[in-house]
Coordinates of all heavy atoms in Angstrom, one line a residue:
M1433 N 13.1 -1.0 84.7 CA 13.0 -0.9 83.2 C 12.0 0.1 82.7 O 12.1 0.7 81.8 CB 12.7 -2.3 82.7 CG 12.7 -2.4 81.2 SD 14.4 -2.2 80.6 CE 14.2 -2.6 78.9
R1434 N 10.8 0.0 83.4 CA 9.7 0.9 83.1 C 10.1 2.4 83.2 O 9.8 3.2 82.4 CB 8.5 0.6 84.0 CG 7.3 1.4 83.6 CD 6.1 1.0 84.5 NE 5.0 1.8 84.1 CZ 3.7 1.4 84.1 NH1 3.5 0.1 84.3 NH2 2.8 2.2 83.7
E1435 N 10.8 2.7 84.3 CA 11.3 4.1 84.5 C 12.3 4.5 83.4 O 12.2 5.6 82.9 CB 12.0 4.2 85.8 CG 11.1 4.0 87.1 CD 11.8 4.0 88.3 OE1 13.2 4.3 88.3 OE2 11.3 3.8 89.4
R1436 N 13.1 3.6 82.9 CA 14.0 3.9 81.8 C 13.2 4.2 80.6 O 13.6 5.2 79.8 CB 15.0 2.8 81.7 CG 16.0 3.1 80.7 CD 17.0 1.9 80.7 NE 18.2 2.2 79.9 CZ 19.1 1.4 79.6 NH1 19.1 0.2 80.1 NH2 20.1 1.8 78.7
I1437 N 12.3 3.4 80.2 CA 11.5 3.6 79.1 C 10.7 4.9 79.1 O 10.6 5.7 78.2 CB 10.5 2.4 78.8 CG1 11.3 1.2 78.5 CG2 9.5 2.7 77.7 CD1 10.5 -0.2 78.4
T1438 N 10.2 5.2 80.3 CA 9.4 6.4 80.5 C 10.3 7.6 80.3 O 9.9 8.6 79.6 CB 8.8 6.4 81.9 OG1 7.9 5.3 82.1 CG2 8.0 7.8 82.1
A1439 N 11.5 7.6 80.8 CA 12.6 8.6 80.6 C 12.8 8.8 79.1 O 12.9 10.0 78.7 CB 13.8 8.4 81.4
V1440 N 13.0 7.8 78.4 CA 13.3 7.9 76.9 C 12.2 8.5 76.2 O 12.4 9.3 75.2 CB 13.7 6.4 76.4 CG1 13.7 6.5 74.9 CG2 15.0 6.0 77.0
L1441 N 11.0 8.0 76.6 CA 9.8 8.6 75.9 C 9.6 10.0 76.2 O 9.2 10.9 75.3 CB 8.5 7.8 76.2 CG 8.5 6.4 75.6 CD1 7.2 5.7 76.1 CD2 8.6 6.4 74.1
L1442 N 9.9 10.5 77.4 CA 9.7 11.9 77.8 C 10.8 12.7 77.1 O 10.4 13.8 76.5 CB 10.0 12.0 79.3 CG 9.9 13.4 79.8 CD1 8.6 14.0 79.7 CD2 10.5 13.5 81.2
R1443 N 11.9 12.1 76.9 CA 13.1 12.8 76.1 C 12.7 13.0 74.7 O 12.8 14.1 74.0 CB 14.4 12.2 76.2 CG 15.5 13.0 75.7 CD 16.8 12.3 75.9 NE 16.8 11.2 76.9 CZ 17.6 10.1 76.9 NH1 18.6 10.1 76.1 NH2 17.5 9.2 77.7
A1444 N 12.1 11.9 74.1 CA 11.7 12.1 72.7 C 10.4 13.0 72.5 O 10.5 13.7 71.5 CB 11.2 10.6 72.3
R1445 N 9.6 13.1 73.5 CA 8.5 14.0 73.4 C 9.0 15.4 73.4 O 8.5 16.3 72.6 CB 7.5 13.8 74.6 CG 6.2 14.7 74.5 CD 5.4 14.3 75.6 NE 5.0 13.0 75.8 CZ 4.7 12.4 76.9 NH1 4.9 13.1 78.0 NH2 4.4 11.2 77.0
Y1446 N 9.9 15.8 74.4 CA 10.3 17.1 74.5 C 11.1 17.5 73.2 O 11.1 18.6 72.7 CB 11.2 17.2 75.6 CG 10.5 17.6 76.9 CD1 9.5 16.8 77.4 CD2 10.7 18.8 77.5 CE1 8.8 17.2 78.6 CE2 10.0 19.2 78.7 CZ 9.0 18.3 79.2 OH 8.3 18.6 80.3
A1447 N 11.9 16.5 72.7 CA 12.7 16.8 71.5 C 11.7 17.1 70.3 O 12.0 18.0 69.5 CB 13.6 15.6 71.1
A1448 N 10.7 16.3 70.2 CA 9.7 16.5 69.1 C 9.0 17.9 69.2 O 8.9 18.6 68.2 CB 8.7 15.4 69.1
I1449 N 8.6 18.3 70.4 CA 8.0 19.5 70.6 C 9.1 20.7 70.3 O 8.7 21.7 69.7 CB 7.5 19.7 72.0 CG1 6.3 18.7 72.3 CG2 7.1 21.1 72.4 CD1 5.8 18.6 73.6
G1450 N 10.2 20.5 70.7 CA 11.3 21.5 70.5 C 11.5 21.6 69.1 O 11.7 22.8 68.5
A1451 N 11.6 20.6 68.3 CA 11.8 20.5 66.9 C 10.7 21.3 66.2 O 10.9 22.0 65.2 CB 12.0 19.2 66.3
A1452 N 9.5 21.0 66.6 CA 8.3 21.7 66.0 C 8.3 23.2 66.2 O 8.1 24.0 65.2 CB 7.0 21.0 66.5
V1453 N 8.6 23.5 67.3 CA 8.6 25.0 67.7 C 9.8 25.7 67.0 O 9.6 26.7 66.3 CB 8.7 25.2 69.2 CG1 9.0 26.7 69.6 CG2 7.4 24.7 70.0
G1454 N 10.9 25.0 66.9 CA 12.1 25.7 66.2 C 11.8 25.7 64.8 O 12.1 26.8 64.1
A1455 N 11.2 24.7 64.2 CA 10.9 24.8 62.7 C 9.9 25.8 62.4 O 9.9 26.4 61.3 CB 10.4 23.4 62.3
A1456 N 8.8 25.9 63.3 CA 7.9 27.0 63.0 C 8.4 28.4 63.1 O 8.2 29.2 62.3 CB 6.8 26.9 64.1
I1457 N 9.3 28.6 64.0 CA 9.9 29.9 64.2 C 10.9 30.1 63.0 O 10.9 31.2 62.4 CB 10.6 30.1 65.5 CG1 9.7 30.1 66.6 CG2 11.5 31.3 65.5 CD1 10.3 30.1 68.1
G1458 N 11.7 29.1 62.7 CA 12.6 29.3 61.5 C 11.8 29.4 60.2 O 12.3 30.0 59.3
G1459 N 10.7 28.8 60.1 CA 9.9 28.8 58.9 C 9.4 30.2 58.6 O 9.0 30.5 57.5
L1460 N 9.3 31.1 59.6 CA 8.9 32.4 59.3 C 9.9 33.2 58.5 O 9.5 34.2 57.9 CB 8.7 33.2 60.6 CG 7.6 32.5 61.6 CD1 7.7 33.4 62.9 CD2 6.2 32.9 60.9
F1461 N 11.2 32.7 58.5 CA 12.2 33.4 57.7 C 12.5 32.7 56.4 O 12.6 33.4 55.4 CB 13.5 33.5 58.6 CG 13.2 34.1 59.9 CD1 13.2 33.5 61.1 CD2 13.1 35.5 59.9 CE1 12.9 34.1 62.2 CE2 13.0 36.2 61.1 CZ 12.9 35.6 62.3
S1462 N 12.8 31.4 56.3 CA 13.1 30.7 55.1 C 13.0 29.2 55.3 O 12.9 28.7 56.4 CB 14.4 31.1 54.5 OG 15.5 30.6 55.4
R1463 N 13.1 28.4 54.3 CA 13.1 27.0 54.4 C 14.4 26.5 55.1 O 14.4 25.6 55.9 CB 13.1 26.3 53.0 CG 11.7 26.0 52.6 CD 11.8 25.2 51.3 NE 10.7 25.6 50.4 CZ 10.6 25.3 49.2 NH1 11.4 24.6 48.6 NH2 9.5 25.7 48.5
N1464 N 15.6 27.1 54.8 CA 16.7 26.7 55.4 C 16.7 26.9 57.0 O 17.2 26.2 57.8 CB 18.0 27.4 54.8 CG 18.2 26.9 53.4 OD1 17.9 25.7 53.0 ND2 18.9 27.7 52.5
A1465 N 16.1 28.0 57.3 CA 16.1 28.5 58.7 C 15.1 27.5 59.4 O 15.3 27.2 60.6 CB 15.5 29.9 58.9
A1466 N 14.1 27.0 58.7 CA 13.2 26.1 59.3 C 13.9 24.8 59.7 O 13.6 24.2 60.7 CB 12.0 25.8 58.4
S1467 N 14.7 24.3 58.7 CA 15.4 23.1 58.9 C 16.4 23.3 60.1 O 16.5 22.4 61.0 CB 16.2 22.7 57.7 OG 17.0 21.6 57.9
T1468 N 17.1 24.3 60.1 CA 18.0 24.6 61.2 C 17.4 24.8 62.6 O 17.7 24.3 63.6 CB 18.9 25.9 60.9 OG1 19.6 25.7 59.6 CG2 19.9 26.2 62.0
G1469 N 16.3 25.6 62.5 CA 15.4 25.8 63.7 C 14.9 24.4 64.3 O 14.8 24.2 65.4
G1470 N 14.5 23.5 63.5 CA 14.0 22.3 63.8 C 15.1 21.4 64.5 O 14.8 20.8 65.5
A1471 N 16.4 21.4 63.9 CA 17.4 20.7 64.5 C 17.8 21.3 65.9 O 18.0 20.5 66.8 CB 18.6 20.7 63.6
I1472 N 17.9 22.5 65.9 CA 18.3 23.2 67.2 C 17.2 23.0 68.2 O 17.5 22.7 69.4 CB 18.7 24.7 67.0 CG1 20.0 24.8 66.1 CG2 18.8 25.4 68.3 CD1 20.3 26.2 65.7
G1473 N 16.0 23.1 67.8 CA 14.9 22.9 68.8 C 14.8 21.5 69.3 O 14.5 21.4 70.5
G1474 N 15.1 20.5 68.4 CA 15.1 19.2 68.9 C 16.3 19.0 70.0 O 16.1 18.2 71.0
L1475 N 17.4 19.6 69.8 CA 18.6 19.5 70.8 C 18.1 20.1 72.0 O 18.5 19.7 73.1 CB 19.8 20.1 70.1 CG 20.5 19.3 69.1 CD1 21.6 20.1 68.4 CD2 21.0 17.9 69.5
V1476 N 17.5 21.3 71.9 CA 17.2 22.0 73.2 C 16.1 21.1 73.9 O 16.2 21.0 75.1 CB 16.7 23.5 72.8 CG1 16.0 24.1 74.0 CG2 17.9 24.2 72.2
G1477 N 15.1 20.7 73.1 CA 14.1 19.9 73.8 C 14.6 18.7 74.5 O 14.2 18.4 75.6
A1478 N 15.5 18.0 73.9 CA 16.1 16.8 74.6 C 17.0 17.2 75.8 O 16.9 16.5 76.9 CB 17.0 16.0 73.6
T1479 N 17.7 18.3 75.7 CA 18.4 18.9 76.9 C 17.5 19.2 78.0 O 17.9 18.9 79.2 CB 19.3 20.0 76.4 OG1 20.1 19.6 75.3 CG2 20.1 20.5 77.6
V1480 N 16.4 19.8 77.6 CA 15.4 20.3 78.8 C 14.9 19.1 79.4 O 14.7 19.0 80.6 CB 14.3 21.1 78.1 CG1 13.2 21.3 79.1 CG2 14.9 22.5 77.8
A1481 N 14.6 18.0 78.6 CA 14.0 16.7 79.2 C 15.1 16.1 80.2 O 14.7 15.6 81.2 CB 13.6 15.8 78.1
D1482 N 16.3 16.1 79.7 CA 17.3 15.5 80.6 C 17.5 16.3 81.8 O 17.7 15.8 82.9 CB 18.7 15.3 79.9 CG 18.6 14.3 78.9 OD1 17.8 13.3 79.0 OD2 19.5 14.2 78.0
T1483 N 17.6 17.6 81.7 CA 17.7 18.4 82.8 C 16.6 18.4 83.8 O 16.8 18.3 85.0 CB 17.9 20.0 82.4 OG1 19.0 20.0 81.5 CG2 18.2 20.9 83.6
R1484 N 15.4 18.2 83.3 CA 14.2 18.2 84.1 C 14.2 16.9 84.9 O 13.9 16.8 86.1 CB 12.9 18.1 83.3 CG 11.7 18.0 84.0 CD 10.5 18.0 83.2 NE 9.3 17.7 83.9 CZ 8.2 17.2 83.5 NH1 8.0 17.1 82.2 NH2 7.2 17.1 84.3
G1485 N 14.6 15.8 84.2 CA 14.7 14.5 85.0 C 15.7 14.5 86.1 O 15.5 13.9 87.2
T1486 N 16.8 15.1 85.8 CA 17.9 15.2 86.8 C 17.5 16.1 87.9 O 17.8 15.7 89.1 CB 19.2 15.8 86.1 OG1 19.5 15.0 85.0 CG2 20.4 15.8 87.1
L1487 N 16.9 17.2 87.7 CA 16.4 18.1 88.8 C 15.4 17.5 89.6 O 15.5 17.6 90.8 CB 15.9 19.4 88.1 CG 16.9 20.4 87.6 CD1 16.2 21.6 87.0 CD2 17.9 20.8 88.6
E1488 N 14.4 16.8 89.0 CA 13.5 16.1 89.8 C 14.1 15.1 90.8 O 13.7 15.0 92.0 CB 12.3 15.4 88.9 CG 11.5 16.4 88.3 CD 10.4 15.7 87.4 OE1 10.6 14.5 87.1 OE2 9.6 16.4 86.8
G1489 N 15.0 14.4 90.3 CA 15.7 13.3 91.2 C 16.5 14.0 92.3 O 16.5 13.5 93.5
T1490 N 17.2 15.0 92.0 CA 18.0 15.8 93.0 C 17.0 16.4 94.0 O 17.4 16.4 95.2 CB 18.8 16.8 92.2 OG1 19.6 16.3 91.3 CG2 19.6 17.6 93.2
L1491 N 15.9 17.0 93.6 CA 15.1 17.6 94.6 C 14.5 16.5 95.6 O 14.3 16.9 96.8 CB 13.9 18.3 93.9 CG 14.3 19.6 93.2 CD1 13.1 20.2 92.4 CD2 14.8 20.6 94.2
E1492 N 14.2 15.5 95.1 CA 13.7 14.3 95.9 C 14.7 13.9 96.9 O 14.4 13.7 98.2 CB 13.2 13.2 95.1 CG 11.9 13.4 94.2 CD 11.6 12.2 93.4 OE1 12.2 11.1 93.6 OE2 10.7 12.3 92.6
E1493 N 16.0 13.8 96.5 CA 17.1 13.5 97.4 C 17.3 14.5 98.4 O 17.4 14.1 99.6 CB 18.3 13.2 96.6 CG 18.4 12.0 95.7 CD 19.6 11.8 95.0 OE1 20.7 12.5 95.3 OE2 19.6 11.0 94.0
V1494 N 17.2 15.8 98.0 CA 17.3 16.8 99.1 C 16.2 16.8 100.1 O 16.5 17.1 101.3 CB 17.4 18.2 98.3 CG1 17.3 19.4 99.2 CG2 18.7 18.3 97.5
K1495 N 15.0 16.6 99.6 CA 14.0 16.5 100.4 C 14.0 15.4 101.5 O 13.6 15.5 102.6 CB 12.5 16.4 99.7 CG 12.1 17.7 99.1 CD 10.8 17.5 98.3 CE 10.5 18.7 97.6 NZ 9.3 18.6 96.8
E1496 N 14.6 14.3 101.1 CA 14.8 13.1 101.8 C 15.8 13.4 102.9 O 15.7 13.0 104.1 CB 15.1 11.9 101.2 CG 14.1 11.4 100.3 CD 14.4 10.1 99.4 OE1 15.7 9.8 99.5 OE2 13.6 9.7 98.6
L1497 N 16.9 14.2 102.6 CA 18.0 14.5 103.5 C 17.7 15.7 104.3 O 18.4 15.9 105.4 CB 19.3 14.7 102.7 CG 19.7 13.5 101.9 CD1 20.9 13.9 101.1 CD2 20.1 12.4 102.9
D1498 N 16.7 16.5 104.0 CA 16.4 17.7 104.8 C 15.7 17.4 106.1 O 14.7 16.8 106.2 CB 15.6 18.6 104.0 CG 15.4 20.0 104.6 OD1 16.1 20.2 105.7 OD2 14.6 20.8 104.1
P1499 N 16.3 17.7 107.3 CA 15.6 17.4 108.6 C 14.3 18.2 108.7 O 13.4 17.6 109.4 CB 16.7 17.7 109.6 CG 17.6 18.6 108.9 CD 17.6 18.4 107.5
R1500 N 14.2 19.3 108.1 CA 12.9 20.1 108.2 C 11.7 19.5 107.5 O 10.6 19.7 107.8 CB 13.2 21.5 107.7 CG 14.1 22.3 108.5 CD 14.4 23.6 107.9 NE 15.1 23.3 106.6 CZ 15.4 24.3 105.7 NH1 15.0 25.5 106.0 NH2 16.0 24.0 104.6
S1501 N 12.1 18.6 106.6 CA 10.9 18.0 105.7 C 10.3 16.9 106.6 O 9.1 16.5 106.2 CB 11.4 17.3 104.4 OG 12.4 16.3 104.7
D1502 N 10.8 16.4 107.6 CA 10.1 15.3 108.5 C 9.2 16.0 109.5 O 8.3 15.3 110.0 CB 11.2 14.6 109.2 CG 12.1 13.7 108.3 OD1 11.6 13.4 107.2 OD2 13.2 13.4 108.8
D1503 N 9.4 17.3 109.8 CA 8.6 17.9 110.8 C 7.2 18.5 110.1 O 7.3 19.4 109.2 CB 9.4 19.2 111.4 CG 8.6 19.8 112.5 OD1 7.7 19.2 113.1 OD2 9.1 20.9 112.8
P1504 N 6.2 17.8 110.6 CA 4.8 18.3 109.9 C 4.3 19.6 110.3 O 3.4 20.2 109.8 CB 3.9 17.3 110.3 CG 4.5 16.7 111.5 CD 6.0 16.8 111.5
S1505 N 4.9 20.2 111.5 CA 4.4 21.5 111.9 C 4.8 22.6 111.0 O 5.9 22.6 110.4 CB 4.9 21.7 113.4 OG 6.3 21.9 113.3
T1506 N 3.9 23.6 110.9 CA 4.3 24.8 110.2 C 4.4 26.0 111.2 O 3.4 26.7 111.4 CB 3.2 25.1 109.1 OG1 1.9 25.1 109.7 CG2 3.2 23.9 108.0
D1507 N 5.5 26.2 111.6 CA 5.8 27.3 112.5 C 5.8 28.6 111.9 O 6.3 28.9 111.0 CB 7.1 27.2 113.2 CG 7.1 25.8 114.2 OD1 5.9 25.6 114.7 OD2 8.1 25.2 114.4

C-alpha cells in the first residue's frame, strides 16, 4: 500500500512540475498559451513519472535475471 501511495505522489509531483514549466514557457507568448502549456506540461510530467517507474522496475528485473550480475569479479 505504501508503494502505491508513493507512486501516486511521485506522479502528482512530476505532473505539477511539468504543468509549471509548461505554463511558464507558454506564458512567454500569451495567456491562452500559458493555459495550454500548463495542461500539456501536466500530461507530459505524469507520463514521465509513469515511464520512470516502469523503467526502474524493469531494470531491477533484468539485473535479477542477468547471470553476470551475480559475479562480483570485474574482469
